[in-house]
Each structure stands twice: as C-alpha cells, then as structure tokens.
C-alpha cells in the first residue's frame, strides 16, 4: 500500500515528477555522453596497442606512452626469437609526415610502418581495399574518418607524404590515434619518408607460442634486455591511457564536467522533490496520524525517488542509445563499454536517493498533531 | 482490543513560546465511555484541540496519564503509539484531508495499509460497503477533487470507520460543510457511537451540533468549566 501511495503521488504530482525526472534523465544522458566520449578518446589513446596482434611490446627504455618511442636496435628482433616461448617478433616503425591532399595542401599524419608480409601492427578493419594492399611498397591506407580531412583522395590515387610518392590502396575503419590521423604503410616506405637510420625501429612486437607463461616470459625478456622497456599489451595500453589522462588534463576536464552534470541533476531532483513534499506536507501528517510510522514515511518518499529514478534511467539510456547510434562512425569519439550502462543506472539511482534526502527530512518533520488545526 | 473507556488522569500540556512556557491545558480528569458521543466545546484557545490531540496519541501530555481501557498509553514509543492509532483509533479532521491522487476507495483503505501490506479482500469489501452506507456508491474510483465538501467528509468518515475503531476522534467535522451536510455527518457520528458502541469525541464550537451530544464538555482557558450528561437526540437506527 505504501508503494502504491507513492506511485499515485508520483502520477498525480505531474509537475514535480517531471522536474525530478528531468534531473535523472539529465544525469544519465549527460554523464553517459561524457563517458562515451571519454572512453572513445581512451580507445584513441591506445588504439595501436589494443589492436595489435602482439602479446608483448619491446620499446626504448623509460617509455611513458606508446606514442613517444625512441629508436631501438633491430638486433633485438633476432635476440628475442632465440627464446623458445616466442612464436614471432616483428619490428614496427612510427614517424610523422605531411600528407599532400589532392588540392595541394598538406595535413600532418602519423605513419605506422609494418614489415611485410606479416604486417603486424597493420590495419585491422577495412572499408575499402584489403590488408594485402600494403604488400606493395608504395601503398598506404587512410582511415574513413580522415578521408574528408585529407581531401577525399580516390582509391589508387597517387600522392606524396614527406615528398615521397605513395598510393592510397585502402581505406580503414576505426584507425584513429589520439595524436590524429593514422596512415599505415610498409616499414621501408616509412623509413624512406622519415629518413630513419637503417636497422632502427620504434618497437618490436612479440607473439608468444600457445601455452607460454606470459609473466615468466616478460620477466626473462626484461632481464635479457635491460636497455629496453618490456610491456605486456595490457600494460602498455594502461600506461599510455594513464599518461594522457594525467598529462593532458583530459581526466580532470571530464571528471569536472561529469561532476557538474551530477550536481545539476542532484539539485534539480532535490528542489523538485522538496517542493513536492512541501505540497504534500499535510498528507504526510495524515499518514502519520492514521498510524504511519516514520519508517513508513521513509518508504513512501524513497519509493517515489526509486520510481522516478527508474523511469529517468530508462528514458536517459534510450536518449543515450539514440545519440550513440547517431554518432557511430562519425568524427565524434564515442564508445560505451558494456559495464557502463548498468553502472550509470546504479549511480543514477544512488544520486536520486541522495537527492531525495532533503525532501525526506522535510516529510519526516510532518507532525501528526498538525492535522488537528 | 475492544475497550469501553478512554480516561485522562490529571493530563496537562505546556507549550514553549521562545523562552516562555505557556500552559494551554491544565490538569484535566476525564473519563469517556463507549456508546456515547461526547462533544468538547469551547472558544478558540480553550484547549479542546490540545485535549483531542492528546487523546489521539499525536501529542504527548506534559504531565498526567492516558488510559485506553486499563492500558496506559502515555509513555508509548512513537512506533507503539502509531500501532495503537492504527489498531484502535479513527480520525475525522476539520478538513477531509483525503490524499489527492488516490481514488476514494484507496483513501479509505489507507487506514488499513499505512504500515504496508495489501489490505485483505474483506477490508476492501468493507470499504465499499461503508461508502455505500454513507451515500457514496459509485465514487470508489473517483479522485477526491471531484467530490463535494460533504462527500469528501463522508469519505473521510468511511476511512475512520474502516478498521472498526474503538475510539473515533473528530475535529470540527462540520465546520467546512453547509448546514444540511453538517447535520448528516453528525447523525452518522451519533449512530456509530450508539450502535457500534464506540467512544466518539467531537470537538466543535458550533452550537448547532450540541443536540447530538450524549455528553457536552465545555472548556475555557485550558480548563473544563462544565460537563453535562444528557442525551439530546434519538436518531433511530440505520447501521453504518
């Protein structure tokens, strides 16, 4: 009966219910949108590491993020291949270059050079073309997100990067780095463009044999290569993300805007529910006079908060899903890990309950004696 | 618990107004019997509503003791007092105080479900019967705002009677009603006192309702100044 009373009150007090609902929807939608952008940017930060087929990354010493590798010697490739647990080792070379657009302007790009024929650390998903396209020395790929920025070059069109002839042989999907446009090419082409000394690489990517003890191999590699940093794929991904979060202000920025969204939601919920309870003050006093205990009043108010939270979470998540669907594949970074919606829903319920506390305190002040004039 | 007396033993009440303590009810002795309609009368500020609130366990006396039957109610905890109110008391307020948003039938059932739980089918049946007996057939699903003042007050009487209370406390139940509705409400209260053997207490300063009293207790300045026992009206029978 108490939850029924709460339900009837929620339905009847349309204005305050709508206000509180707006608060919850605002929290779910705004925070959800912020989080989707944040996680989208997180994916950008470590996109090359996350999509590499490698189990282990070997880089220059004291590495702070995957985009800031110094050159290491190519001899490490042969050295690590001597470990029995290692299935393969492939070098990769990163460099920056200027892409000449069809109109003659230039755009800076991040070049990722991978060794033929394995093309480890190469593109993982194509809109047009196929991985084998990079087997040709002149071939490069650009990403679908950057096609407009790069002047919409046609497939098979020839252009220049760093003054060197390249041919657009494929268009990738979802290959965007935190530092901008990613262009994949053969490692020799990248070396040519960036004039990198021979035998020098940005990293060596290592694949383990099935059943190999990853932690044990990591320990042995670290011991054998004291001049290098040796990371598991997950470690390097986390290191890179943490670096950008803490060194670019992006973490603080998103944290602040999320906190503001939550605060606005809490204030809206608090004010509207408080106003609702003020309007219902006599009703709560009547409930007390009829035999209601304080805990019954708590249940009525919290039931109202939970009902509003439930509806708000539903509408907020629907709106969020519409937004994410609309921005999917666009330049707006967005990604929603599976654990975020339930976490967000739980957080919204907790925040709604917190927002109802002021109203609850007011409702508990309703004295049964006040029903007698 | 079916009992036949509500007794106040030297009950007094003070209110604090800033630093000043003001006594609004001086030590009062009163014993009310079942089967009687008692009217507490007096001018504004005479202490009748304070007395009613203490009887209704919604206000604690500063001193003195309150008994329902032989059970002392004065020192009950809030939760225990709420349980006694729920099980033994019915209230009719000056304004009907029906909860907006709840249909009439749910307002009536509130008296049984305020501590949770779904009222049993028998109580739902009784609620419907009470509404019918009070001339409110067909209003069960209606919102209170669609009822007239008299209809609302009758619905609030149905709520008060739902759990067959031992004590029915009414605070100026006719003051917001026209003369005809007021007479009808008093007749209902009178019947429920006589035929259901309840302790019915009505606070009023409207002399037009005094003829319904079996006992008329007048207060002035926080003290009982007269206590008249006389049955004024025989209303015949029509069970509620």
């Amino acid at each position: 009966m108490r939850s029924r009373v709460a339900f009837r009150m929620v339905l009847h007090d349309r204005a305050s219910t709508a206000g509180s609902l707006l608060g919850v929807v605002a929290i779910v939608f705004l925070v959800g949108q912020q989080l989707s952008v944040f996680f989208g940017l997180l994916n950008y930060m470590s996109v090359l590491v996350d999509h590499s087929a490698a189990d282990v990354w070997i880089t220059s010493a004291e590495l702070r993020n995957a985009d800031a590798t110094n050159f290491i010697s190519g001899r490490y490739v042969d050295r690590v291949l001597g470990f029995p647990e290692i299935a393969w080792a492939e070098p990769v070379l990163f460099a920056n270059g200027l892409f000449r657009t069809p109109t003659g302007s230039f755009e800076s790009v991040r070049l990722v050079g991978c060794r033929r024929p394995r093309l480890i650390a190469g593109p993982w998903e194509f809109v047009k073309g196929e991985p084998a396209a990079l087997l040709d020395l002149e071939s490069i790929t650009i990403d679908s997100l950057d096609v407009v920025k790069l002047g919409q070059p046609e497939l098979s069109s020839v252009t220049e990067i760093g003054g060197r002839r390249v041919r657009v042989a494929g268009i990738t999907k979802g290959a965007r780095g935190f530092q901008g446009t990613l262009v994949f090419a053969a490692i020799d082409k990248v070396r040519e463009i960036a004039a990198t000394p021979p035998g020098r690489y940005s990293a060596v990517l290592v694949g383990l044999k099935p059943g190999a003890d990853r932690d044990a191999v990591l320990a042995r590699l670290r011991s054998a290569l004291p001049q290098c940093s040796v990371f598991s794929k997950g470690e390097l991904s986390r290191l890179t993300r943490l670096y950008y979060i803490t060194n670019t202000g992006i973490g603080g920025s998103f944290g602040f805007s999320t906190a503001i969204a939550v605060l606005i939601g809490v204030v809206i919920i608090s004010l509207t529910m408080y106003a609702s309870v003020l309007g219902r003050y006599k009703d709560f006093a009547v409930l007390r006079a009829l035999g209601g205990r304080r805990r019954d009043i708590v249940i009525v108010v919290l039931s109202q908060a939970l009902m509003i939270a439930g509806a708000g979470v539903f509408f907020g998540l629907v709106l969020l899903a519409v937004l994410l669907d609309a921005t999917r594949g666009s330049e707006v970074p967005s990604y929603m890990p599976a654990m975020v919606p339930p976490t967000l829903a739980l957080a919204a319920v907790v925040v709604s309950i917190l927002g109802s506390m002021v109203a609850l305190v007011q409702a508990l002040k309703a004295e049964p004696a006040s029903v007698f004039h | 618990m079916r009992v036949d007396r509500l007794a106040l033993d030297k009950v007094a009440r003070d209110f604090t107004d800033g630093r000043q303590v003001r006594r609004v009810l001086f030590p009062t002795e009163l014993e009310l019997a079942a089967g009687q309609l008692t009217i507490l009368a007096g001018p504004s500020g005479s202490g009748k509503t304070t007395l009613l609130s203490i009887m209704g366990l919604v206000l604690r006396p500063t001193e003195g003791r309150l008994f329902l039957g032989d059970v002392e109610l004065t020192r009950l905890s809030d939760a225990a007092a709420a349980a006694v109110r729920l099980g033994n008391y019915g209230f009719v307020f000056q304004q009907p105080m029906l909860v907006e948003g709840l249909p009439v039938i749910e307002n009536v059932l509130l008296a049984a479900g305020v501590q949770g739980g779904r009222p049993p089918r028998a109580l739902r049946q009784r609620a419907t019967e009470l509404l019918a007996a009070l001339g409110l057939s067909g209003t069960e699903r209606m919102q209170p705002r669609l009822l007239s003042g008299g209809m609302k007050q009758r619905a609030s009487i149905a709520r008060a009677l739902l759990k067959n209370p031992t004590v029915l406390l009414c605070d100026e139940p006719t003051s917001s009603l026209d003369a005809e509705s007021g007479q009808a409400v008093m007749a209902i209260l009178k019947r429920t006192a006589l035929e259901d053997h309840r302790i019915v207490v009505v606070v009023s300063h409207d002399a037009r309702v005094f003829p319904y009293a079996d006992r008329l207790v007048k207060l002035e300045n926080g003290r009982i100044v007269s206590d008249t026992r006389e049955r004024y009206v025989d209303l015949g029978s029509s069970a509620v």
Side-chain angles (χ1 to χ4, degrees):
Chain A
M1 189 78 187
R2 292 169 298 195
S3 55
R4 189 167 184 83
V5 169
F7 179 65
R8 295 287 192 189
M9 286 179 170
V10 164
L11 280 189
H12 185 266
D13 303 341
R14 291 192 188 94
S16 60
T17 297
S20 300
L21 203 57
L22 179 69
V24 182
V25 170
I27 289 173
V28 173
F29 181 73
L30 292 177
V31 173
Q33 188 270 337
Q34 289 288 309
L35 288 176
S36 76
V37 172
F38 180 70
F39 284 111
L41 287 173
L42 278 185
N43 280 350
Y44 283 1
M45 291 171 190
S46 56
V47 66
L48 282 175
V49 179
D50 295 335
H51 287 278
S52 72
D55 297 303
V56 177
W57 281 60
I58 299 170
T59 66
S60 53
E62 302 298 329
L63 188 76
R64 298 178 67 192
N65 76 78
D67 292 323
T69 53
N70 195 4
F71 295 125
I72 59 174
S73 170
R75 286 178 299 158
Y76 293 132
V77 174
D78 297 326
R79 284 189 65 183
V80 299
L81 281 173
F83 285 75
E85 302 94 337
I86 288 175
W88 51 261
E90 289 286 334
V92 63
L93 184 61
F94 303 134
N96 295 319
L98 288 174
F99 183 100
R100 188 175 191 277
T101 69
T103 60
S105 63
F106 292 90
E107 287 287 345
S108 65
V109 294
R110 178 79 167 158
L111 288 157
V112 182
C114 33
R115 193 162 72 168
R116 297 171 289 172
R118 269 210 183 92
L119 299 174
I120 296 292
W124 51 90
E125 190 173 357
F126 281 81
V127 175
K128 290 180 182 173
E130 56 181 9
L134 288 181
L135 294 176
D136 177 15
L137 181 65
E138 283 194 339
S139 294
I140 62 163
T141 66
I142 60 173
D143 195 78
S144 56
L145 292 174
D146 300 315
V147 168
V148 173
K149 178 181 168 187
L150 297 178
Q152 296 186 313
E154 296 287 335
L155 205 61
S156 300
S157 62
V158 174
T159 184
E160 292 177 359
I161 297 178
R164 303 292 176 173
R165 176 188 162 96
V166 293
R167 187 169 54 83
V168 178
I171 296 180
T172 56
K173 183 180 177 187
R176 169 172 281 189
F178 193 62
Q179 292 189 341
T181 306
L182 286 180
V183 170
F184 292 93
I187 204 165
D188 302 322
K189 175 55 74 176
V190 174
R191 188 181 305 286
E192 178 189 339
I193 292 169
T196 310
R200 312 293 282 176
Y201 300 98
S202 301
V204 174
L205 278 57
V206 174
L208 302 183
K209 287 180 180 170
D213 183 343
R214 192 193 63 177
D215 292 338
V217 175
L218 282 170
R220 289 182 61 197
L221 286 171
R222 284 174 184 138
S223 171
L225 305 172
Q227 307 301 317
C228 300
S229 292
V230 179
F231 301 98
S232 69
K233 184 165 135 182
E235 287 171 347
L236 185 57
S237 177
R238 284 191 292 277
L239 179 78
T240 303
R241 290 180 177 200
L242 189 63
Y243 174 84
Y244 283 123
I245 289 170
T246 54
N247 287 278
T248 61
I250 196 168
S253 171
F254 274 95
F256 180 73
S257 55
T258 300
I260 291 294
V262 170
L263 188 64
I264 289 171
V266 169
V267 169
I268 293 173
I269 294 168
S270 295
L271 290 179
T272 51
M273 284 201 71
Y274 179 74
S276 172
V277 165
L278 274 186
R280 290 277 187 182
Y281 185 84
K282 279 286 181 188
D283 290 336
F284 287 113
V286 168
L287 293 180
R288 292 291 312 280
L290 293 179
R293 300 154 296 184
R294 286 178 182 275
R295 85 172 87 142
D296 299 314
I297 302 300
V298 171
I299 288 171
V300 169
V301 174
L302 289 187
S303 295
Q304 287 181 284
L306 288 174
M307 287 169 194
I308 291 168
V313 165
F314 174 77
F315 288 122
L317 288 179
V318 167
L319 277 178
L320 193 57
V322 170
L323 176 80
L324 292 178
D325 191 53
T327 56
R328 185 185 298 159
S330 74
E331 291 195 9
V332 179
S334 70
Y335 173 65
M336 184 65 73
M339 55 83 175
V340 171
T343 307
L344 190 55
L346 183 66
V349 169
V350 171
V351 164
S352 299
I353 290 172
L354 288 177
S356 69
M357 284 299 118
V358 179
L360 179 59
V361 169
Q362 186 63 30
L364 286 173
K365 285 180 182 170
E367 282 295 330
S370 67
V371 294
F372 296 117
H373 65 280
Chain B
M1 178 166 57
R2 174 57 82 177
V3 292
D4 56 6
R5 74 164 193 140
L6 178 65
L8 292 87
D9 176 25
K10 297 189 180 84
V11 163
R13 173 71 195 195
D14 298 333
F15 283 110
T16 306
D17 187 6
R19 288 181 182 176
Q20 198 166 5
V21 176
R22 192 163 52 91
R23 176 145 286 195
V24 294
L25 185 67
F26 290 87
T28 301
E29 300 226 20
L30 193 62
E31 184 165 327
L32 304 170
Q36 286 189 338
L37 188 153
T38 302
I39 289 182
L40 300 178
S44 293
S46 60
K48 54 188 190 300
T49 298
T50 301
L51 188 55
L52 190 74
S53 301
I54 291 170
M55 288 180 190
L57 301 180
V58 294
L59 188 67
R60 288 180 187 278
T62 308
E63 57 189 66
R65 297 185 298 170
L66 174 70
F67 293 91
L68 183 60
D70 295 326
V71 178
E72 187 183 347
L73 305 177
T74 324
R75 310 202 191 288
L76 294 179
S77 68
D78 277 355
V84 172
R85 286 199 300 273
L86 184 67
N88 298 277
Y89 280 71
F91 293 95
V92 179
F93 310 114
Q94 182 174 5
Q95 302 295 328
M97 291 198 183
L98 301 178
V99 177
E100 284 298 335
L102 267 65
V104 171
I105 187 82
E106 289 184 17
N107 262 290
V108 175
L109 289 167
L110 207 51
V114 71
Q115 288 197 1
R118 184 180 169 82
R121 185 181 293 271
L123 267 184
R124 299 182 77 85
Q125 180 64 29
R126 175 164 167 76
T128 306
E129 288 169 1
L130 277 170
L131 287 171
L134 291 163
L136 295 172
S137 284
T139 63
E140 290 88 347
R141 298 284 150 209
M142 290 171 71
Q143 288 293 322
R145 62 186 159 78
L146 300 175
L147 304 183
S148 68
M151 293 167 85
K152 285 182 188 174
Q153 195 60 297
R154 278 182 280 152
S156 78
I157 292 172
R159 179 175 67 190
L161 295 177
L162 179 72
K163 291 196 72 183
N164 205 17
T166 305
V167 183
L168 185 60
L169 302 179
C170 312
D171 183 25
E172 307 263 14
T174 62
S175 68
S176 61
L177 304 178
D178 57 56
E180 190 180 346
S181 298
Q183 298 292 324
V185 164
M186 286 307 299
I188 292 165
L189 296 176
K190 177 80 175 179
R191 277 201 301 273
T192 195
L194 290 177
E195 294 166 10
D196 300 330
H197 202 64
R198 298 182 210 282
I199 301 164
V200 178
V201 183
V202 175
V203 160
S204 182
H205 60 259
D206 181 358
R208 289 176 300 176
V209 306
F210 292 173
Y212 290 88
D214 297 302
R215 185 175 175 187
L216 181 61
V217 177
K218 289 188 175 176
L219 289 98
E220 279 183 22
N221 298 320
R223 290 187 172 89
I224 293 175
V225 292
S226 76
D227 187 352
T228 312
R229 294 161 195 259
E230 183 178 346
R231 180 161 291 181
Y232 288 91
V233 179
D234 182 1
L235 293 156
S237 66
S238 177
V240 171

